[in-house]
């Protein structure tokens, strides 16, 4: 076999001294079907990441080249800034007939083939050996760097976690927890270099009913392969808004407290301490009180900064809310917030699908910030997914209500109720290069 690419400069016989640019061709000969490493790397680094990983199975040599840290660094340096992303539902549905777990996502999917609806897709998860039965559900409890942490616990008090890479199909089981918490809020943190996962932490916080000066954590470390219990004594009474999951930034986890602000915990630090970042002084405190429990707020990281967004629960007839506000934390080590956006209900325009819901008193539930456009975020509006643009002040419906599946979820105090599947959704963003999971799978205890 011989691969030939011509390489020569075309000559101009009519005008030898012409300074006009002429078309250039290149010529290289690869004999006996052998492609040099440098040539393979140049070609592979320009292909979609899914294709690259499929080509690992071509030969040991190709697998070695693609698995090298230097190749991952080269691929990341050439990757497009338009990172694939979607909004992922928190509930996984078990379907043993097709041998996989399925997760519902809402916006145009760039992870897997879309065969349900133009606004829906199914992200495939591996079959897990355990007590799960057909029709039983598992919950996504954390996403970071293209990795999904989900819980297949058979009960509310004990969790059974797995980490899954949707790009590579690799899955790691974490030993089952030993501490029984009544209501749990779970955080997920990772550290990686050159596309390889160096370590990760899974953190469980016991969300006690009412205020408490004692915070109880359980932390799993990939380095030790064990869970450890951590007790933190606070100077002020803490009551976490359990409906809102923790936010990861700078190797720390952040929870919303009902009265004092943002609770910060660093599981990589052995000092076993927490600190408080104050919330903006002009928020609607009713959004995070015991009655509303953070249902109308969104606290998350956007482009490296903490953002806090609320839909005011003050009703303005015939609407169920009075406006939308967004704040950005100026500096991480301070409690100084800047009001980025504030609009009253009369300044917001609704499309036809949403106007009836607005007039019926429905309060939108914030879901996620757009990962690339700082002016857009997404909300659940009744049984509809909607987007809001801070420039145009427009709420647009993105998903037909008939296409959204409701799921039975626990309300935090043990009872089940029917909720829209976006009630605890995640922004799922894929990294330019998938984070590998080199840690061996451990058997669940």
């Amino acid at each position: 076999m011989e691969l030939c690419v011509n390489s020569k400069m075309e000559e101009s016989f009519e005008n030898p001294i012409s300074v006009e640019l002429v078309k250039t061709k290149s010529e290289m000969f690869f004999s006996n079907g052998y492609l040099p490493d440098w040539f393979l790397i140049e070609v592979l680094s320009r292909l979609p990441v899914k294709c690259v990983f499929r080509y690992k199975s071509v030969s040991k040599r190709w697998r070695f080249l693609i698995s090298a840290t230097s190749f991952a660094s080269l691929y990341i340096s050439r990757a497009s800034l338009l990172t694939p992303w979607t909004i992922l539902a928190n509930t996984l549905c078990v379907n043993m007939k097709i041998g996989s777990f399925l997760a519902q996502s809402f916006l145009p999917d760039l992870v897997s083939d879309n065969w349900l609806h133009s606004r829906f897709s199914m992200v495939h998860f591996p079959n897990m050996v355990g007590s799960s039965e057909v029709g039983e559900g598992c919950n996504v409890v954390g996403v970071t760097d293209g990795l999904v942490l989900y819980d297949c616990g058979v009960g509310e008090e004990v969790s059974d976690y797995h980490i899954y890479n949707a790009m590579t199909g690799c899955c790691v089981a974490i030993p089952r927890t030993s501490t029984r918490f009544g209501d749990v809020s779970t955080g997920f943190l990772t550290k990686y270099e050159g596309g390889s996962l160096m370590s990760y932490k899974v953190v469980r916080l016991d969300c006690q009913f009412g205020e408490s000066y004692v915070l109880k954590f359980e932390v799993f470390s990939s380095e030790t392969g064990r869970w450890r219990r951590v007790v933190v004594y606070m100077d002020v009474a803490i009551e976490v808004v359990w409906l809102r999951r923790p936010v990861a930034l700078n190797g720390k986890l952040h929870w919303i407290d009902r009265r004092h602000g943002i609770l910060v915990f660093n599981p990589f630090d052995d000092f076993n301490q927490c600190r408080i970042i104050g919330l903006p002084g002009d928020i609607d405190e009713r959004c995070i009180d015991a009655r509303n429990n953070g249902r109308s707020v969104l606290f998350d990281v956007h482009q490296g900064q903490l953002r806090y967004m609320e839909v005011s629960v003050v009703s303005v007839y015939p609407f169920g809310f009075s406006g939308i506000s967004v704040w950005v934390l100026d500096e991480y080590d301070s409690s100084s917030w800047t009001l980025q956006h504030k609009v009253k209900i009369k300044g917001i325009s609704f499309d036809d699908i949403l106007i009836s819901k607005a007039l019926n008193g429905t309060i939108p539930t914030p879901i996620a910030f757009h990962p690339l456009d700082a002016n857009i975020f997404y909300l659940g509006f009744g049984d509809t997914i909607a987007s809001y643009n801070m420039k145009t002040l427009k709420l647009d419906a993105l998903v037909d209500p008939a296409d959204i599946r409701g799921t039975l979820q626990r309300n935090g105090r043990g009872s089940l109720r029917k909720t829209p599947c976006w009630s605890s959704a995640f922004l799922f963003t894929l990294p330019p290069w998938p984070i590998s999971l080199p840690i061996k799978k451990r058997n669940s205890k």
Side-chain angles (χ1 to χ4, degrees):
M1 175 181 176
E2 186 178 74
L3 173 64
C4 174
V5 182
N6 294 323
S7 177
K8 62 181 180 179
M9 181 74 72
E10 291 184 348
E11 297 179 353
S12 175
F13 293 100
E14 294 182 1
N15 187 0
I17 61 173
S18 173
V19 295
E20 219 175 282
L21 292 177
V22 292
K23 188 175 181 180
T24 302
K25 295 181 180 179
S26 57
E27 184 176 287
M28 294 178 294
F29 291 91
F30 300 142
S31 301
N32 301 322
Y34 180 80
L35 300 178
D37 288 353
W38 67 265
F39 184 83
L40 281 174
I41 291 172
E42 284 296 319
V43 173
L44 292 171
S45 64
R46 287 168 168 79
L47 297 177
V49 68
K50 276 190 173 184
C51 294
V52 175
F53 269 76
R54 280 200 294 265
Y55 292 151
K56 274 188 173 185
S57 60
V58 171
S59 67
K60 291 183 178 180
R61 176 176 167 234
W62 283 42
R63 183 179 183 86
F64 175 79
L65 291 176
I66 295 172
S67 301
T69 302
S70 57
F71 181 81
S73 300
L74 175 64
Y75 194 94
I76 292 172
S77 68
R78 293 178 173 180
S80 170
L81 295 177
L82 299 177
T83 307
W85 64 278
T86 187
I87 292 182
L88 185 68
N90 74 316
T91 301
L92 305 182
C93 301
V94 181
N95 189 334
M96 296 300 184
K97 292 182 180 180
I98 60 175
S100 64
F101 285 78
L102 300 176
Q104 189 178 20
S105 57
F106 309 127
L107 298 182
D109 175 59
L110 298 173
V111 182
S112 63
D113 295 333
N114 183 344
W115 54 272
L116 287 179
H117 185 269
S118 60
R119 295 290 187 176
F120 284 86
S121 60
M122 303 302 278
V123 180
H124 293 263
F125 285 76
N127 231 353
M128 301 305 302
V129 178
S131 58
S132 296
E133 298 178 356
V134 177
E136 187 177 337
C138 298
N139 289 325
V140 176
V141 294
V143 293
T144 180
D145 301 315
L147 302 177
V148 179
L149 176 69
Y150 61 98
D151 180 15
C152 292
V154 295
E156 286 294 304
E157 297 179 340
V158 179
S159 298
D160 184 13
Y161 296 113
H162 298 82
I163 298 176
Y164 178 66
N165 190 320
M167 296 176 72
T168 65
C170 182
C171 187
V172 173
I174 298 176
R176 286 191 177 180
T177 58
S178 57
T179 305
R180 295 181 177 271
F181 291 154
D183 293 307
V184 180
S185 179
T186 305
F188 182 33
L189 289 168
T190 59
K191 285 186 177 181
Y192 63 93
E193 293 179 6
S196 296
L197 185 65
M198 307 304 294
S199 64
Y200 63 85
K201 304 279 187 182
V202 177
V203 179
R204 303 173 72 231
L205 170 61
D206 183 15
C207 297
Q208 304 176 46
F209 183 77
E211 297 179 339
S212 177
Y213 289 88
V214 181
L215 300 179
K216 298 178 182 179
F217 296 90
E218 190 176 26
V219 181
F220 176 82
S221 172
S222 62
E223 297 173 336
T224 63
R226 298 179 179 178
W227 291 91
R228 68 181 179 96
R229 300 178 185 179
V230 177
V231 178
V232 178
Y233 298 92
M234 301 294 296
D235 295 330
V236 294
I238 299 296
E239 186 176 4
V240 170
V241 178
W242 53 263
L243 186 63
R244 286 299 172 184
R245 58 185 177 269
V247 173
L249 178 65
N250 298 333
K252 303 176 181 66
L253 291 171
H254 307 73
W255 285 268
I256 301 177
D257 173 67
R258 296 198 196 284
R259 295 167 182 81
H260 306 288
I262 307 301
L263 176 72
V264 184
F265 175 66
N266 184 359
F268 291 98
D269 194 344
D270 294 329
F271 291 109
N272 297 340
Q273 296 177 347
C274 292
R275 73 182 186 95
I276 299 292
I277 298 176
L279 284 172
D282 51 345
I283 65 171
D284 183 355
E285 295 182 356
R286 282 165 291 193
C287 292
I288 55 176
D289 62 16
R291 179 180 178 181
N292 295 289
N293 198 32
R295 185 170 284 103
S296 59
V297 304
L298 174 61
F299 171 61
D300 211 341
V301 176
H302 183 268
Q303 299 179 354
Q305 288 184 293
L306 291 175
R307 299 176 83 188
Y308 184 88
M309 174 261 185
E310 71 175 19
V311 177
S312 178
V313 295
V314 178
S315 61
V316 176
Y317 183 82
F319 303 100
F321 64 104
S322 60
I324 298 175
S325 303
V326 180
W327 293 265
V328 178
L329 185 65
D330 295 330
E331 295 182 7
Y332 181 75
D333 294 327
S334 71
S335 295
S336 175
W337 297 79
T338 295
L339 180 64
Q340 181 184 14
H341 179 75
K342 189 178 184 67
V343 61
K344 294 183 178 180
I345 185 67
K346 293 182 179 180
I348 301 174
S349 58
F350 303 82
D351 69 10
D352 294 339
I353 296 178
L354 301 179
I355 187 62
S356 61
K357 301 179 187 299
L359 295 177
N360 287 335
T362 303
I363 302 176
T365 299
I367 298 175
F369 295 107
H370 191 291
L372 304 177
D373 193 333
N375 293 304
I376 297 176
F377 50 84
Y378 298 94
L379 310 99
F381 209 153
D383 53 0
T384 304
I385 303 296
S387 68
Y388 176 76
N389 191 313
M390 290 188 283
K391 279 189 174 181
T392 63
L393 309 183
K394 178 75 181 296
L395 269 168
D396 291 299
L398 299 179
V399 180
D400 191 310
D403 294 318
I404 296 184
R405 302 176 182 179
T407 57
L408 284 176
Q409 295 181 358
R410 297 195 177 273
N411 63 6
R413 299 298 171 220
S415 60
L416 290 170
R417 62 188 176 89
K418 190 79 170 180
T419 62
C421 55
W422 49 256
S423 61
S424 182
F426 292 81
L427 177 66
F428 184 41
T429 303
L430 292 177
W433 186 256
I435 306 303
S436 61
L437 293 170
I439 303 160
K440 293 182 180 180
K441 181 176 176 179
R442 301 181 177 90
N443 293 328
S444 301
K445 294 182 180 180

